[in-house]
């Protein structure tokens, strides 16, 4: 049986990818950020997951405004790296896990979550920057990825509550897959940031730290946050945090925080990173 | 009718609703076309000619040529689509974001290094908080 052994959250700021690709990780500006991922890089090498169900949002790379799926799942064999306007990032092509992805798609739809199925898609910094942060610069990614794409660009995005419930359904679906797989779920994006208008540059450290606390202490409080509160408190792009709740829903009722990192700024954004362990999995594994 | 008036109560912020997506459709699709290197070359070679291939309004085209991101957003542009323009120009997200504020690039970068813009006073127009 496949099992979810851990959850990871991380911001996916494009400038972080550029810093890695241009070998600027040791500069005064970037060194403190990358130091914050050192523990997790060692941790994940030891965990050696088979598959990551990676929740992210496309940033006008694979999806134009022609079609705007709320939730979509990538079922392809592999996902090439998108050209976001400055050439594709020099990172390996992302290998999918079509058997698990197709099983998830079928299970989720029958479990009342109407996923859009993607059989061909390029992936942008939303998906590749988290992989780079945790795995560095390998010649091939040491893990397979099932991308779960969430619309957080055109309002309304799904609610936090809906995202949490999708996470719960992902857990049920993973646990009904009959291959013995070590699966992690990652929720990416956030934390507070605003990239547009006169209010650009907004950062709300108290909001972010309370969010980090409640990912393990009181997730029910996070599930109820309405869109308008994200907009006012965490900036117009802070709404990406609903994707963290998909990961959190997939971990079950109680979790243990293994690691936390918070850093301001990376470009325009507050960076948050958590490693969580579902408490029931700790005893099972 | 969906009530979106709360969205208009946040200073300096435009929420990208389905209505704005409709208004900005051709502007945003033009931006998306810049993901292809050959299109970036054609656009840079003659912006006006390239823009005239798109069913955009004259106002939208002028805003693109001025690189006025606030104007593009007011005309239905979405920042993630508009990012294709400043990426093609070789400009970072931080410099592009700074251009939308009343600050210089240096002032904006310094604000970010000191923890970013505080939400105090910019949460709500009507409640002055």
């Amino acid at each position: 049986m496949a099992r979810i052994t851990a959850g990871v959250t991380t911001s996916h700021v494009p400038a972080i990818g550029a810093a890695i690709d241009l070998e600027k990780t040791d500069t005064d500006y970037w060194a403190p950020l990358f130091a914050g991922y050192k523990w997790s890089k060692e941790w994940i090498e030891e965990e050696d997951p088979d598959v990551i169900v990676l929740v992210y949002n496309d940033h006008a790379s694979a999806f134009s405004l022609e079609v705007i799926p709320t939730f979509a799942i990538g079922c392809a064999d592999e996902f090439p790296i998108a050209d976001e306007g400055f050439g594709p990032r020099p990172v390996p092509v992302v290998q999918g896990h079509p058997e698990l992805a197709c099983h998830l798609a079928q299970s989720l739809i029958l479990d009342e979550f109407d996923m859009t199925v993607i059989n061909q898609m390029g992936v942008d910094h939303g998906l590749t920057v988290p992989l780079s942060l945790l795995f560095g610069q390998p010649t091939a990614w040491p893990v397979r990825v099932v991308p779960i794409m969430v619309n957080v660009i055109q309002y309304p995005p799904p609610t936090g509550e809906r995202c949490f419930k999708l996470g719960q359904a992902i857990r049920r679906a993973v646990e009904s897959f009959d291959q013995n797989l070590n699966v992690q779920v990652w929720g990416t994006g956030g934390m507070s940031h605003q990239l547009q208008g006169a209010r650009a540059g907004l950062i709300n450290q108290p909001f972010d730290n309370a969010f980090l606390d409640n990912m393990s202490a009181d997730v029910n409080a996070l599930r109820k946050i309405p869109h308008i509160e994200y907009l006012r408190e965490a900036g117009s792009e802070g709404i990406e945090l609903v994707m963290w709740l998909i990961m959190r829903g997939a971990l079950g009722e109680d979790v243990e925080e293994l690691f936390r990192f918070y850093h301001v700024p990376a470009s325009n954004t507050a960076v948050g990173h958590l490693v969580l362990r579902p408490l029931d999995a700790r005893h099972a594994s | 009718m969906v009530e979106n008036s709360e969205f208009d109560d946040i200073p300096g912020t435009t929420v990208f609703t389905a209505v704005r997506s409709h208004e900005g459709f051709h502007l945003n699709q033009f931006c998306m076309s810049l993901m292809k290197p050959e299109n970036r070359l054609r656009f840079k070679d003659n912006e006006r000619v390239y823009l005239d291939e798109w069913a955009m309004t004259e106002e939208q085209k002028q805003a693109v040529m001025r690189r006025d991101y606030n104007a593009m957003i007011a005309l239905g542009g979405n920042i993630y689509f508009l990012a294709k323009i400043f990426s093609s120009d070789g400009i970072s997200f931080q410099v592009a974001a700074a251009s939308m504020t009343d600050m210089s690039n240096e002032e904006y970068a310094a604000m970010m290094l000191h923890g970013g813009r505080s939400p105090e006073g910019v949460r709500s127009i009507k409640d002055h908080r």
Side-chain angles (χ1 to χ4, degrees):
Chain A
M1 184 183 92
R3 65 201 191 284
I4 295 172
T5 58
V8 172
T9 65
T10 177
S11 309
H12 57 214
V13 182
I16 295 176
I20 295 171
D21 301 339
L22 302 171
E23 297 183 347
K24 289 183 179 168
T25 58
D26 291 335
T27 61
D28 289 347
Y29 186 89
W30 288 111
L33 178 122
F34 289 101
Y37 285 82
K38 188 170 173 289
W39 184 92
S40 308
K41 286 174 87 166
E42 287 164 13
W43 168 82
I44 205 156
E45 206 173 318
E46 210 149 284
E47 292 284 311
D48 193 22
D50 299 302
V51 186
I52 294 164
V53 176
L54 202 157
V55 182
Y56 81 111
N57 65 289
D58 179 74
H59 302 78
S61 301
F63 292 93
S64 72
L65 293 179
E66 287 177 18
V67 180
I68 303 159
T70 296
F71 293 122
I73 180 166
C75 297
D77 290 323
E78 58 179 36
F79 302 94
I81 309 303
D83 181 341
E84 298 178 57
F86 42 84
R89 289 192 62 209
V91 295
V93 167
V94 175
Q95 301 298 320
H97 196 301
E99 278 177 280
L100 176 62
C102 293
H103 168 82
L104 289 180
Q106 176 169 321
S107 304
L108 291 171
I109 291 167
L110 295 177
D111 204 1
E112 318 285 352
F113 284 87
D114 307 318
M115 308 298 290
T116 297
V117 172
I118 309 167
N119 284 316
Q120 184 169 307
M121 154 171 95
V123 290
D124 69 15
H125 69 269
L127 187 137
T128 61
V129 166
L131 291 176
S132 297
L133 279 168
L134 273 289
F135 295 113
Q137 294 174 287
T139 50
W141 300 116
V143 69
R144 292 179 179 274
V145 175
V146 175
I148 303 269
M149 204 283 302
V150 182
N151 164 48
V152 292
I153 290 183
Q154 181 173 313
Y155 270 74
T159 62
E161 177 68 9
R162 183 71 176 156
C163 288
F164 186 86
K165 287 179 173 165
L166 173 61
Q168 292 176 314
I170 288 172
R171 180 188 171 95
R172 291 191 286 273
V174 167
E175 290 181 347
S176 65
F177 188 63
D178 61 5
Q179 288 182 27
N180 189 22
L181 291 177
N182 175 355
V183 178
Q184 292 187 359
V185 181
W186 292 11
T188 73
M191 296 190 83
S192 59
H193 64 307
Q194 174 151 338
L195 303 174
Q196 51 124 343
R199 207 173 74 135
L202 184 130
I203 299 282
N204 189 338
Q205 301 199 21
F207 177 92
D208 290 342
N209 282 299
F211 203 96
L212 289 164
D213 289 342
N214 284 333
M215 283 291 284
S216 49
D218 184 9
V219 75
N220 288 330
L222 302 182
R223 291 166 64 173
K224 297 186 190 106
I225 298 175
H227 289 145
I228 188 71
E229 190 175 332
Y230 283 105
L231 283 162
R232 290 195 201 281
E233 299 292 335
S236 50
E237 280 63 57
I239 190 67
E240 290 178 349
L241 285 167
V242 296
M243 296 187 290
W244 288 29
L245 296 178
I246 296 176
M247 176 282 254
R248 184 58 190 82
L251 294 195
E253 206 158 310
D254 294 311
V255 298
E256 178 188 6
E257 182 185 298
L258 300 183
F259 184 75
R260 176 195 297 210
F261 176 62
Y262 183 69
H263 176 80
V264 177
S267 185
N268 304 288
T269 304
V271 170
H273 170 46
L274 287 173
V275 179
L276 304 179
R277 179 82 81 196
L279 282 175
D280 51 352
R282 185 183 58 177
H283 298 300
S285 61
Chain B
M1 186 75 190
V2 178
E3 182 53 66
N4 281 337
S5 62
E6 274 190 311
F7 289 166
D8 298 326
D9 178 48
I10 307 171
T13 303
T14 305
V15 180
F16 190 65
T17 57
V19 171
R20 292 208 168 95
S21 174
H22 175 74
E23 182 190 357
F25 179 71
H26 295 291
L27 167 60
N28 290 312
Q29 293 296 101
F30 143 72
C31 292
M32 193 104 186
S33 77
L34 299 178
M35 290 175 70
K36 291 191 174 142
E38 60 271 27
N39 290 343
R40 294 199 282 272
L41 280 175
R42 284 185 49 231
F43 173 60
K44 283 186 182 167
D45 186 48
N46 191 328
E47 297 196 1
R48 179 79 224 189
V49 167
Y50 190 80
L51 287 167
D52 282 342
E53 293 171 15
W54 296 85
M56 294 160 59
T57 65
E58 182 59 28
E59 239 183 326
Q60 288 171 333
K61 292 177 193 175
Q62 293 292 341
V64 170
M65 289 189 288
R66 288 198 314 275
R67 300 298 192 269
D68 182 341
Y69 288 97
N70 280 330
M72 290 184 242
I73 287 170
L75 298 168
N78 172 275
I79 190 59
Y80 289 118
F81 288 83
L82 302 179
K84 312 303 180 198
I85 302 176
F86 60 75
S87 295
S88 300
D89 288 338
I91 286 172
S92 74
F93 228 124
Q94 189 172 85
V95 170
S99 81
M100 291 179 256
T101 69
D102 58 4
M103 309 169 91
S104 69
N105 293 341
E106 293 73 23
E107 288 166 341
Y108 184 89
M111 174 182 79
M112 295 316 300
L113 279 173
H114 290 94
R117 183 187 304 282
S118 166
E120 291 304 322
V122 289
R123 292 182 172 97
S124 164
I125 297 166
K126 67 174 164 35
D127 296 336
H128 306 287
R129 65 185 178 99

